[in-house]
Amino acid sequence: MNRWMKGAAALLVVGLLAGCSLLKVSVSTGDPLPKEQMDVRTMTRGFYYDMAGEVARAADSIVSLSPDLGVRVAAVRWKIRATQAGLSAAMQGIPDVALADLWILCRRMDAAFSAAPDSLLFGAQSPLARETAARLDRRIGRLARLVLPSDRCALMERFVEEYLRENPVSEGAETDNTTLAWLEFLRENGVEHAYATGSIAEVLSDVNDRVSGQAQQLSNSVSWSKDLFEMRFEQDSLRVQLGMQLDSLERNFARIVAVAEHLPQISDRLLTELNGQITQLIRTMDASVDRAFTDFDRQRMAMQDYVTQEREALVGQLRQAGDELVRTTLDAVPDLVGKVLLWFVLAVAVLVGGPFAVGFWLGGVRARSRMKKQAGE
């Protein structure tokens, strides 16, 4: 009889659990980033794309307006280095660090351009670059005050000033990873940073942004490097030397004609000199062509090394993002198991202990009523 009662109770519990609409099983996808952090990440990356566009337009204007080849080469280099540094800063995993790194980059570029003379920048077009750097510095400051609370913005601005004072550089287009420095600064000021990777959807979106940014930057860098190569090829002295030799050859022919008409005895000596000039011209052409092909091969190898490094960096970031995704998923499994066990124990306690307690109370009430009847009789 006891075995039959236990079996019936077990079937009843299973049936109740199967029909209970309040018991739901779901897989946790990780805690999403707070809205403030998402706003910081979105606005920071949006500012990077605006910054890259402004720097590219300013550099293109300098290239189109300057007749100096050295200034044009410097403008293209600034465009490549500034956009690459901005991408590295904006794609940081921690939104606050990305904003701080981008702010440091803009402040550093503005300070470097303001302190350098025109001869070390872009010549007569240097004011255009200075205006662009100053405008970007003002915009990143307004962005920080817009997306951060007032106390957090004041802390970040003080951190940027202290970091630049302690880490001066001579160039204006580099950035550093300030993750450790920012977290230590917050801890020194009594602020504990709560780091979260976000939900799986947010992690995948972050990976997509990084891959898209790296791909676009790689494409731009290759195109701009091609422009640099063409400028350097124009800088080669081959055409200048050939022009000089041809001008000299033309003068020698004029001299030969004049001398041959008046002094035939000098013609042999002039012909010998002409032969030497032609020989020198041929040697110059051979040497210039060899040097041009050597420079072309060196540029090709440098371009190949650059593309290889960018590909390895992109693969490393994808691998790191995949590891973070797997780690987030595995971290969610213990929470799921704990929730299932908790609901199961609660259901068993309610479904088994409740009827038992009610029956025990009703039995006590019935026993007391019987005892009262017996006492009355």
Side-chain angles (χ1 to χ4, degrees), residues 320-365:
Q320 181 180 1
D323 293 340
E324 292 180 357
L325 179 62
V326 172
R327 186 164 50 253
T328 302
T329 305
L330 292 178
D331 290 341
V333 171
D335 294 339
L336 172 63
V337 175
K339 291 179 180 179
V340 171
L341 291 177
L342 176 61
W343 283 106
F344 180 76
V345 171
L346 290 176
V348 170
V350 170
L351 296 175
V352 175
F356 178 78
V358 171
F360 182 79
W361 178 72
L362 290 176
V365 171

Side-chain angles (χ1 to χ4, degrees), residues 28-187:
S28 176
T29 59
D31 296 331
L33 284 175
K35 183 179 183 300
E36 176 186 331
Q37 294 291 308
M38 282 299 301
D39 291 343
V40 171
R41 171 178 289 178
T42 304
M43 298 294 285
T44 300
R45 294 182 178 179
F47 175 82
Y48 157 71
Y49 291 114
D50 290 347
M51 168 193 165
E54 289 196 27
V55 170
R57 287 190 294 270
D60 293 340
S61 299
I62 293 173
V63 171
S64 62
L65 294 174
S66 178
D68 187 357
L69 184 59
V71 171
R72 288 185 286 161
V73 170
V76 176
R77 287 178 176 173
W78 171 48
K79 177 168 58 174
I80 294 175
R81 295 167 61 189
T83 54
Q84 180 63 50
L87 178 66
S88 300
M91 296 302 167
Q92 295 284 345
I94 303 178
D96 286 355
V97 176
L99 179 59
D101 285 355
L102 206 55
W103 198 348
I104 290 172
L105 172 63
C106 294
R107 181 69 58 85
R108 180 176 285 168
M109 185 164 55
D110 182 30
F113 284 2
S114 299
D118 292 350
S119 59
L120 297 180
L121 287 178
F122 309 107
Q125 280 70 41
S126 297
L128 180 60
R130 291 194 183 98
E131 292 175 3
T132 301
R135 183 167 59 253
L136 291 174
D137 186 26
R138 292 192 299 269
R139 285 190 58 189
I140 191 67
R142 290 196 300 268
L143 177 65
R145 287 186 286 272
L146 176 65
V147 299
L148 293 176
S150 57
D151 54 345
R152 194 63 166 250
C153 181
L155 279 177
M156 183 172 290
E157 186 171 8
R158 185 154 57 91
F159 168 75
V160 170
E161 294 175 354
E162 292 180 2
Y163 187 86
L164 289 174
R165 186 169 55 251
E166 297 173 359
N167 299 272
V169 293
S170 58
E171 299 290 343
E174 288 89 3
T175 186
D176 303 322
N177 190 319
T178 61
T179 302
L180 181 59
W182 171 245
L183 296 180
E184 290 179 349
F185 179 81
L186 290 179
R187 189 172 292 109

